Amino acid sequence: MAAELTNVGNASGVKEFILIGLSDGQGVQEVYFVMFLCFYTINVAGNLLIIVTVISSQHLNSPMYFFLCYLSFVDICYSSVTAPKMIADFLVENKTISFVGCIAQLFGVHFFGCTEIFILTVMAYDRYMAICRPLHYSTLMTRRACGRMVLCSWLGGCVHSAVQTFLTAQLPFCGPNKVDHYFCDVHPLLRLACTDTYVVGVTVIANSGMIALSSFFILVVSYVVILVSLRSQTSEGRRKALSTCGSHITVVVLFFGPCTFTYIRPSSDLSEDKIVALFYTIITPMLNPLIYTLRNKEVKSAMRKLWGRRIESEEGKV
């Protein structure tokens, strides 16, 4: 595949792109370097902590935490596609990326982003089954069924990303190579193509829009049904259900809002798109661990037990 992409790049006449990034000011870029390095470190550390906690704890073995573990893994991968390159570029004057690297970054952004959308949708379905059909929950949400849902999420993300990447990579790039973004994305690259991109633009918007809107519709319907069903439950049951659902709804809003704004409409202001993209590529993946741990007593309890055992183990060795 790398050879094919190289051939496309040679045929287009562009072998590398220049990422304009977030700012041209040197002083501002140094501040951005420190700030986004901290954000990325918190993101990786927080999501790794959730993964280790879920895997190590015998009490966090329900489907909800199974999906949360994969969501944290996707968050790490999603940010890692763009953040390290962006952070490194704050320290260099020549912010270049090869044609192949640009297309690979485009694939990664859409692959992990779409996979996250599907996993969030599956998590909403899990909450619907747990709250609205509790008697059938254990028989329907088996580990095998959950594994298949996660696998379908990965496959769906791969198919979506392959379409976006193929449509963009086959365009001719023969002159301008300055990408008005901090990573390679569809809309900025369409601006640089040496041909009419109207059909391709409509296709990529339809592809993204269909996935985002259909998933969002499923999420809304799931939570409307959940909220209606909670009226017949006890106050304690409502409190516990709203606690777990509240975290998920917060993440959905923070992720779907910026994504929908960027990908289901023709892009008119790329500088505006860059700021919005920071939310779903950097900010939301960083906040996810905080949202799920601060509102979840089981996760906080499991973390305390996990690190309590680690400290006792270290003291025993000493």
Side-chain angles (χ1 to χ4, degrees):
M1 182 176 178
E4 292 177 0
L5 293 179
T6 303
N7 290 336
V8 175
N10 292 336
S12 299
V14 173
K15 294 184 179 180
E16 67 179 18
F17 292 100
I18 299 173
L19 298 172
I20 294 179
L22 296 176
S23 172
D24 293 330
Q26 185 59 37
V28 175
Q29 291 197 61
E30 291 175 355
V31 173
Y32 281 166
F33 171 80
V34 175
M35 182 173 67
F36 285 106
L37 180 61
C38 291
F39 285 171
Y40 181 62
T41 303
I42 293 171
N43 171 14
V44 174
N47 282 294
L48 276 177
L49 178 60
I50 285 184
I51 292 172
V52 172
T53 301
V54 172
I55 292 176
S56 303
S57 176
Q58 297 179 349
H59 300 288
L60 303 180
N61 56 1
S62 67
M64 180 177 71
Y65 298 113
F66 176 79
F67 294 132
L68 177 59
C69 187
Y70 276 98
L71 180 67
S72 295
F73 176 71
V74 172
D75 276 336
I76 293 174
C77 296
Y78 191 29
S79 288
S80 297
V81 173
T82 59
K85 172 64 177 169
M86 178 185 70
I87 293 169
D89 282 347
F90 288 135
L91 300 181
V92 298
E93 185 176 347
N94 193 20
K95 302 174 176 60
T96 60
I97 185 171
S98 67
F99 183 88
V100 175
C102 184
I103 297 301
Q105 191 177 57
L106 171 65
F107 179 87
V109 166
H110 284 267
F111 173 48
F112 292 114
C114 187
T115 301
E116 176 146 349
I117 286 176
F118 288 139
I119 290 180
L120 288 172
T121 306
V122 167
M123 291 176 75
Y125 174 74
D126 170 69
R127 291 298 82 205
Y128 161 76
M129 294 297 298
I131 296 170
C132 301
R133 302 185 64 185
L135 297 179
H136 301 89
Y137 182 72
S138 59
T139 56
L140 293 176
M141 298 298 291
T142 61
R143 184 52 63 98
R144 175 177 293 184
C146 294
R148 288 175 178 173
M149 291 180 190
V150 170
L151 178 60
C152 288
S153 298
W154 286 103
L155 292 176
C158 185
V159 171
H160 161 76
S161 184
V163 172
Q164 304 291 80
T165 304
F166 174 77
L167 290 174
T168 306
Q170 55 84 35
L171 292 172
F173 297 95
C174 55
N177 68 338
K178 288 188 176 181
V179 180
D180 190 8
H181 217 302
Y182 61 90
F183 66 90
C184 289
D185 203 3
V186 173
H187 293 313
L189 290 176
L190 291 181
R191 295 279 185 93
L192 302 180
C194 302
T195 186
D196 182 13
T197 60
Y198 176 78
V199 175
V200 175
V202 170
T203 304
V204 297
I205 290 173
N207 184 21
S208 299
M210 178 182 65
I211 291 172
L213 292 179
S214 60
S215 298
F216 189 69
F217 176 77
I218 294 172
L219 286 162
V220 170
V221 170
S222 298
Y223 279 107
V224 167
V225 174
I226 288 172
L227 292 174
V228 170
S229 67
L230 286 178
R231 294 187 301 178
S232 61
Q233 296 193 16
T234 63
S235 58
E236 177 64 22
R238 284 197 297 269
R239 186 196 62 77
K240 186 175 181 180
L242 289 173
S243 176
T244 57
C245 292
S247 301
H248 188 249
I249 292 173
T250 304
V251 171
V252 166
V253 171
L254 288 174
F255 187 80
F256 268 84
C259 271
T260 303
F261 176 83
T262 301
Y263 291 112
I264 70 168
R265 62 173 179 77
S267 180
S268 57
D269 188 349
L270 292 179
S271 61
E272 191 177 64
D273 287 356
K274 286 190 289 187
I275 303 302
V276 174
L278 288 173
F279 283 91
Y280 58 82
T281 60
I282 306 292
I283 306 300
T284 302
M286 178 189 70
L287 293 178
N288 282 357
L290 297 175
I291 293 170
Y292 279 107
T293 54
L294 291 176
R295 295 179 60 89
N296 194 304
K297 292 182 179 179
E298 290 181 325
V299 174
K300 288 190 289 187
S301 175
M303 284 183 177
R304 284 194 292 267
K305 290 179 181 179
L306 172 64
W307 294 107
R309 289 199 302 267
R310 294 286 175 88
I311 294 173
E312 291 175 2
S313 177
E314 292 297 325
E315 291 177 348
K317 290 179 181 179
V318 174

